Amino acid sequence: MYKALSCLSGRCAVFKRESRCRPRLAKLHWASDVPGMPSCNFTPEKYTGMSKERMMEIRRQNCNPMTMKVTYYKKPLFIHQGHMQWLWDVDGKRYLDLFAGVATVSVGHCHPKVTAAIEQQLKRLWHTSNIYVYPPLHEYCEKLASYLPDPLKVIYLTNSGSEANDLAMLMARLHTGNFDIITLRGSYHGGSPQAMGLTSHAAYKYPIANGLGCTNTMCPDVFRGPWGGSHCRDSPVQTIRECSCSQGHCMANEQYIGQLTETLATSVPTQIAAFFAEPIQGVGGVVQYPKNYFKEAYKLVRERGGLCIADEVQTGFGRTGSHFWGFQGHGVIPDIVTMAKGIGNGFPIGAVVTTPEIAASFAKGVHFNTFGGNPVACAVASSVLDTIQEDGTQKISLDVGTYLITELAKLRDKYEIIGDVRGKGLQIGVEMVKDKVSREPLSHEAMNVIFEDIKDMGVLIGKGGLYGQIFRIQPPMCITKEDADFFLAVFNKSVYNYMDRR
């Protein structure tokens, strides 16, 4: 039914040399005990606030019911304080945060450098709008533009990713004079009325008219989709599916591009406004496409007058490790890039970056944003860019992320219910299945049992996928190999516990 993991002494020795982890941790990596948590030299403040019971009472009575609907865990987590990759609950229990507020905390909770930048700006100027000219806005726009390739140099700041994607849709339609936009099935681009049309996930849809002009095409998912093999994606780990493609030839890519071609031929006019896609699907379950899919898709879209839009809300700012932007891993340059989440390390800010020509089309009317690009948001985002460079977080994403993915793949090979491990850098997905032959999603009940067990042992991760069958690991980009080893031990024990009970 399953195989338990035994100690791999050679691997442990290598880990000890590379990350200077304590031998106790390396030993517990494969032990049946609850693993020992890595040390932390930060002491949180003692919590003296509202009781947990009172918070839940208010949550039920005064917060919108949606707040309860999205509350994680059967036994909810009451968070009090954060520092870098760590969170503490109101009882003082420490957790390793490997979800970062949904891939949002990029450089670490309450990072001292970013906190100092906020404090400094708060003493100087909290708010003014861009009807005035103020230094933080212009200093940040110039800095952000330097991270993007030509001709992506014109920036409009927003408060969120949904808002950024709304505006990207508007810009594409204004510039092209066309209306229809194509997205991938399983995608998530926000929950606003317009962005809801881009989003192709039933859980985030409401039974009202929304997203007029948005059409979905088949997601080129090489694990769950009808086509895929063992050489398709740009990841340290490939699928376990057989691949008979000849060298340099990907049959799966041809099939998925064929599906896009059919969508263009049957479901939209001959001229379209845009193709909208995440370089790696986030909420959809860290789905990666065949290596050349973006190149060929962009070509087809541009032939039909459309713009190519990259949603970097989850993949941007070095999270994929190999590149600063997810689209760079596909060898393409979009016409518009949207971003949020990690841009502000948790502070509300987003951006739409495009070319001077497309930006000029947006100026045909007047669009005013009261809070987008306010002084505090710009100071935070500017400090985040500096911190990414100074702390080497992109390199951490590459090194620790690659380590995590390859070690998780060993667990995939041990357990029948781990169907796929994928991702780049610290954008990682683990797809859980009933068995590897059928690839049917593991049940919600089973997922929740493992999910809760992981939390109880001190690690926070996320879930995603159309069927909620994928564990998402998208931590602050400051974690260490020692942290990774702790998570691997916890995850191994959680899966082992579930299989043993089953």
Side-chain angles (χ1 to χ4, degrees):
M1 183 186 295
Y2 65 92
K3 296 180 182 177
L5 298 177
S6 59
C7 181
L8 305 176
S9 57
R11 185 209 148 276
C12 290
V14 171
F15 181 83
K16 184 178 176 183
R17 284 198 304 272
E18 290 183 351
S19 68
R20 301 178 184 175
C21 87
R22 296 186 293 271
R24 176 175 62 86
L25 284 177
K27 182 179 179 181
L28 282 173
H29 188 118
W30 311 113
S32 58
D33 310 347
V34 175
M37 184 177 283
S39 62
C40 173
N41 59 7
F42 181 85
T43 302
E45 300 172 2
K46 184 177 180 180
Y47 179 74
T48 58
M50 188 181 292
S51 71
K52 291 187 281 188
E53 293 75 18
R54 181 60 181 147
M55 280 191 275
M56 291 306 296
E57 183 181 359
I58 294 170
R59 198 171 180 90
R60 293 188 183 97
Q61 292 181 0
N62 302 120
C63 297
N64 189 287
M66 186 56 67
T67 310
M68 280 301 301
K69 190 171 184 178
V70 300
T71 300
Y72 262 17
Y73 302 114
K74 182 171 59 179
K75 295 180 288 183
L77 196 60
F78 296 82
I79 295 296
H80 165 49
Q81 193 165 354
H83 175 74
M84 301 305 284
Q85 66 267 49
W86 303 104
L87 288 170
W88 285 263
D89 68 14
V90 296
D91 297 319
K93 181 176 178 178
R94 178 162 57 104
Y95 297 86
L96 175 63
D97 182 11
L98 296 188
F99 200 35
V102 192
T104 300
V105 179
S106 48
V107 296
H109 291 282
C110 302
H111 192 293
K113 296 173 188 174
V114 182
T115 302
I118 295 173
E119 291 174 346
Q120 185 179 41
Q121 186 59 48
L122 283 172
K123 293 174 184 176
R124 185 182 299 127
L125 180 67
W126 279 33
H127 174 74
T128 187
S129 295
N130 53 28
I131 57 173
Y132 304 117
V133 181
Y134 50 95
L137 173 69
H138 304 85
E139 290 165 359
Y140 179 63
C141 285
E142 181 182 45
K143 186 180 291 186
L144 180 59
S146 71
Y147 282 81
L148 288 136
D150 289 329
L152 296 167
K153 296 296 178 183
V154 184
I155 296 162
Y156 192 91
L157 296 175
T158 67
N159 303 291
S160 71
S162 294
E163 187 182 354
N165 286 338
D166 270 354
L167 288 177
M169 295 171 72
L170 177 59
M171 289 181 190
R173 285 167 169 164
L174 285 170
H175 185 70
T176 63
N178 303 324
F179 191 71
D180 289 76
I181 296 174
I182 295 175
T183 62
L184 299 175
R185 291 176 196 158
S187 62
Y188 180 84
H189 297 287
S192 63
Q194 276 285 96
M196 198 187 301
L198 297 175
T199 294
S200 176
H201 195 308
Y204 299 97
K205 295 281 194 180
Y206 286 87
I208 58 171
N210 65 81
L212 183 64
C214 295
T215 299
N216 307 129
T217 193
M218 183 181 284
C219 177
D221 182 346
V222 298
F223 174 73
R224 180 156 297 283
W227 306 287
S230 55
H231 300 92
C232 291
R233 63 194 183 202
D234 178 20
S235 173
V237 173
Q238 299 293 332
T239 71
I240 56 174
R241 297 177 74 172
E242 292 294 326
C243 184
S244 57
C245 296
S246 58
Q247 187 70 27
H249 177 80
C250 183
M251 182 186 68
N253 186 58
E254 289 180 355
Q255 296 289 347
Y256 289 117
I257 287 294
Q259 290 294 309
L260 174 58
T261 302
E262 187 170 334
T263 299
L264 289 166
T266 61
S267 304
V268 293
T270 55
Q271 294 291 291
I272 64 173
F275 171 71
F276 224 114
E278 305 159 89
I280 299 174
Q281 282 191 353
V283 175
V286 193
V287 177
Q288 289 180 283
Y289 326 123
K291 293 171 188 173
N292 290 317
Y293 182 83
F294 261 30
K295 284 184 178 179
E296 296 183 34
Y298 276 26
K299 182 175 182 291
L300 288 173
V301 169
R302 285 169 172 155
E303 286 172 353
R304 286 157 180 79
L307 301 183
C308 299
I309 303 173
D311 180 338
E312 292 278 356
V313 170
Q314 294 197 32
T315 49
F317 299 91
R319 180 161 289 281
T320 63
S322 61
H323 299 88
F324 200 80
W325 305 108
F327 67 78
Q328 292 170 317
H330 294 273
V332 296
I333 297 180
D335 302 295
I336 300 176
V337 180
T338 60
M339 56 194 75
K341 291 189 180 287
I343 188 175
N345 198 46
F347 196 92
I349 181 171
V352 184
V353 185
T354 188
T355 67
E357 294 75 20
I358 295 169
S361 298
F362 186 47
K364 291 175 181 177
V366 175
H367 184 278
F368 180 69
N369 188 315
T370 302
F371 297 106
N374 79 75
V376 178
C378 289
V380 170
S382 183
S383 178
V384 168
L385 284 178
D386 292 342
T387 303
I388 287 171
Q389 294 300 324
E390 292 164 9
D391 291 7
T393 58
Q394 185 176 332
K395 184 71 162 53
I396 293 171
S397 292
L398 179 63
D399 293 345
V400 180
T402 301
Y403 171 78
L404 256 176
I405 293 167
T406 52
E407 291 298 311
L408 283 166
K410 295 176 183 177
L411 296 184
R412 177 201 62 188
D413 296 341
K414 296 285 183 180
Y415 293 107
E416 182 67 12
I417 64 170
I418 302 178
D420 194 33
V421 173
R422 54 183 177 257
K424 285 183 67 179
L426 290 174
Q427 176 100 343
I428 302 169
V430 180
E431 182 148 359
M432 308 298 287
V433 296
K434 291 180 179 177
D435 61 82
K436 287 184 170 71
V437 176
S438 71
R439 287 175 284 148
E440 288 186 32
L442 193 64
S443 70
H444 288 291
E445 294 75 20
M447 289 291 292
N448 288 337
V449 167
I450 298 169
F451 193 59
E452 201 90 17
D453 203 18
I454 292 169
K455 180 260 292 182
D456 289 343
M457 282 191 276
V459 180
L460 308 180
I461 60 174
K463 287 189 291 185
L466 287 175
Y467 311 102
Q469 82 280 21
I470 294 148
F471 290 127
R472 295 164 62 194
I473 299 107
Q474 298 164 288
M477 298 183 290
C478 57
I479 68 165
T480 66
K481 281 190 175 181
E482 189 176 11
D483 300 329
D485 206 51
F486 172 60
F487 164 66
L488 289 163
V490 166
F491 187 62
N492 169 60
K493 179 167 174 54
S494 300
V495 176
Y496 182 97
N497 287 347
Y498 170 76
M499 298 294 284
D500 195 40
R501 287 191 293 267
R502 194 175 76 165

